[in-house]
Amino acid sequence: MALIQMKTPLVEMDGDEMTRILWADIKEILLAPYVELKTAYYDLGLKHRDETLDQVTVDSALAARKYGVAVKCATITPNAQRVEEYGLKQMWKSPNGTIRALLDGTVFRAPILVRGIRPSVRTWEKPITIARHAYGDVYRNAEMKIDGPGRVELVFTGADGSEKRTPVFDFKGPGIVQGIHNLDSSISSFARSCFNYALDRGQDLWFSTKDTISKTYDHRFKDLFQEIFDKEYSAAFQKAGITYFYTLIDDAVARIIRSKGGMIWACKNYDGDVMSDMVATAFGSLAMMTSVLVSPDGIFEYEAAHGTVTRHYYRYLKGESPSTNPVATIFAWTGALRKRGELDSLPALSGFADRLEKAVLATIEGGVMTGDLAALFEGSARTVSTKEFLQAVRACLESA
Ligand code: NAP
Ligand code: MG
């Protein structure tokens, strides 16, 4: 069979540890036999980030800007222990943070549902998509340790030399302080991508912040969403028979748990980080969730929401064959290939992505899966290693 051809390269961002191993296996077993892969390859493995003083991360984001579609492997965000483990020149920033800051936009995360795995929340019947703002707040913070008594103030110095200041706290002893920011432009594009996504999906949009406590910061998010909705989207939502609904984050959490699902829940950056992990785990597994960053100017970066699965990697290094779930990473590739196919008018490429996803679901529904899923599966499940799982998916793809 002739390989499916691509027109424009995908930006390929390789990563670390167990997911780096999965990455190579997925390409070898499930992609290369069917698609003449064209990628602009960037090695975001920690060693190479260190060698390039993290320039490779910036370059990969710029390449995503150039080509429009990227697929990213999970990467280590270094902490003190990693600095020692890898002998790093510096405690490099989170690659996701760097890429998101350059692309801006919103991360949409939705669970991958399979028959045989029921959500832990009994009322949930439909997937809940989390729309996570991908710019600013605690991910672009400035922090300081306070060593003793003294005053902390917020000071704004205008370009015209004007000044605004407000006290933060009068410290009587040691403590900590942090400054965070966001931009009207970023919040507005976050709002627009959520409204567009809701219309595209025909699903209600919920948005929540803590505006009762954060009367200026969080309130700005609420106001901008409402202004943009009233001016630009209210009529389209009415026509589509969907609603936009704002509520406090704690009220949203309670309502989500009681709901049937099926909505898009827009969250600020940190809320979205935490809530997407909770929603994914409640739907089955962190490894059963798709994640895509959509920038306001229409750039797509697909990834898995989980990390580099360090514990499995250390077992792999000892010679074991871990049963690490590759589904989210496969779906990152299929999402990117499908989008490339749509943008380049290559139905064969998009069709391949659809078939591969179906083969993954059919393999699991047929009772072959990794250990994380086997523990939840209703029915008889055969736990296999990652490689065996990929081969089972390949067999399913061949027979379809
Ligand atoms: P993690 O890699 O997501 O793994 C945490 C635990 O969740 C694993 O030990 C495993 O549990 C389970 N798990 C996660 N993904 C799985 C999969 N695909 N299949 C089976 N089980 C899975 O999180 P972490 O251990 O906190 O972080 C490890 C590294 O990843 C860190 O260096 C962090 O900086 C990085 N990270 C990167 C990203 C990203 O690039 N998007 C996101 C988060 C974290 P068991 O061990 O119990 O089987
Ligand atoms: Mg997270």
Side-chain angles (χ1 to χ4, degrees):
M1 212 179 64
L3 295 181
I4 297 164
Q5 296 298 313
M6 295 177 65
K7 277 187 201 153
T8 317
L10 267 184
V11 178
E12 177 183 354
M13 305 169 172
D14 207 345
D16 288 299
E17 299 194 313
M18 203 59 221
T19 37
R20 189 181 179 96
I21 310 291
L22 293 184
W23 194 260
D25 287 345
I26 290 169
K27 282 171 67 181
E28 184 199 319
I29 298 171
L30 295 178
L31 303 176
Y34 306 100
V35 180
E36 182 80 54
L37 275 179
K38 239 191 200 180
T39 73
Y41 179 86
Y42 292 83
D43 182 1
L44 267 51
L46 185 51
K47 195 168 159 282
H48 193 237
R49 271 183 276 151
D50 195 51
E51 284 162 7
T52 63
L53 307 179
D54 210 24
Q55 185 58 37
V56 64
T57 309
V58 173
D59 291 345
S60 74
L62 296 177
R65 287 211 146 280
K66 176 173 171 195
Y67 291 115
V69 185
V71 56
K72 181 181 170 291
C73 181
T75 45
I76 293 170
T77 299
N79 53 16
Q81 182 258 320
R82 298 295 199 169
V83 171
E84 202 183 296
E85 182 182 352
Y86 283 80
L88 299 180
K89 298 188 180 92
Q90 205 178 306
M91 198 188 293
W92 304 108
K93 282 188 180 268
S94 150
N96 288 326
T98 303
I99 294 167
R100 284 171 199 159
L102 284 165
L103 299 183
D104 199 354
T106 306
V107 178
F108 293 93
R109 291 189 168 164
I112 301 163
L113 302 193
V114 287
R115 272 195 301 274
I117 296 176
R118 269 198 298 181
S120 355
V121 179
R122 277 169 298 156
T123 49
W124 288 357
E125 292 166 6
K126 292 180 235 160
I128 296 165
T129 300
I130 302 271
R132 171 182 170 187
H133 187 208
Y135 180 84
D137 301 349
V138 68
Y139 302 87
R140 298 280 279 179
N141 65 359
E143 302 184 305
M144 207 190 272
K145 226 165 146 259
I146 304 296
D147 299 323
R151 157 171 276 218
V152 174
E153 288 182 309
L154 281 181
V155 182
F156 167 76
T157 315
D160 61 358
S162 63
E163 200 178 272
K164 273 208 276 190
R165 51 175 73 217
T166 185
V168 175
F169 195 65
D170 285 312
F171 284 86
K172 306 275 180 290
I176 41 184
V177 66
Q178 83 170 328
I180 58 173
H181 78 279
N182 225 299
L183 307 170
D184 281 7
S185 59
S186 178
I187 300 166
S188 302
S189 61
F190 170 41
R192 289 195 179 92
S193 34
C194 292
F195 292 133
N196 288 335
Y197 197 82
L199 285 170
D200 185 52
R201 288 299 160 103
Q203 287 179 326
D204 290 346
L205 177 69
W206 295 20
F207 181 43
S208 56
T209 71
K210 193 71 180 174
D211 66 291
T212 48
I213 301 296
S214 173
K215 292 183 197 304
T216 302
Y217 197 104
D218 279 18
H219 216 287
R220 188 75 189 139
F221 279 81
K222 178 184 177 180
D223 288 346
L224 283 172
F225 263 70
Q226 196 61 50
E227 270 169 35
I228 291 170
F229 178 74
D230 291 344
K231 256 193 233 142
E232 302 171 26
Y233 291 94
S234 147
F237 267 54
Q238 203 162 13
K239 201 168 151 214
I242 57 174
T243 54
Y244 166 61
F245 165 67
Y246 175 87
T247 189
L248 272 180
I249 179 89
D250 29 1
D251 180 52
V253 168
R255 284 174 187 257
I256 286 281
I257 295 293
R258 292 195 307 265
S259 78
K260 290 198 164 87
M263 71 289 283
I264 297 155
W265 180 14
C267 294
K268 286 176 59 202
N269 209 345
Y270 174 80
D271 297 340
D273 185 351
V274 179
M275 287 304 146
S276 63
D277 281 16
M278 190 196 69
V279 168
T281 307
F283 270 108
S285 161
L286 254 190
M288 297 294 284
M289 178 158 226
T290 61
S291 181
V292 55
L293 171 71
V294 184
S295 85
D297 41 358
I299 295 154
F300 294 80
E301 186 228 341
Y302 294 83
E303 55 166 13
H306 60 76
T308 58
V309 211
T310 311
R311 280 204 293 267
H312 293 210
Y313 181 60
Y314 291 154
R315 293 212 299 271
Y316 168 85
L317 290 180
K318 280 190 201 145
E320 289 177 37
S321 309
S323 186
T324 313
N325 190 336
V327 172
T329 307
I330 298 174
F331 274 61
W333 274 101
T334 50
L337 290 170
R338 183 186 297 108
K339 181 54 74 181
R340 205 56 279 168
E342 282 167 24
L343 295 175
D344 292 349
S345 309
L346 295 171
L349 192 59
S350 305
F352 169 74
D354 292 342
R355 286 200 304 285
L356 179 50
E357 288 182 1
K358 282 206 184 93
V360 169
L361 301 184
T363 302
I364 299 169
E365 287 170 356
V368 178
M369 63 201 77
T370 47
D372 56 324
L373 297 183
L376 306 167
F377 195 70
E378 297 170 335
S380 68
R382 186 158 69 86
T383 302
V384 293
S385 69
T386 305
K387 236 184 175 152
E388 288 166 329
F389 179 77
L390 295 175
Q391 275 146 359
V393 172
R394 168 91 178 260
C396 189
L397 194 58
E398 294 282 336
S399 72

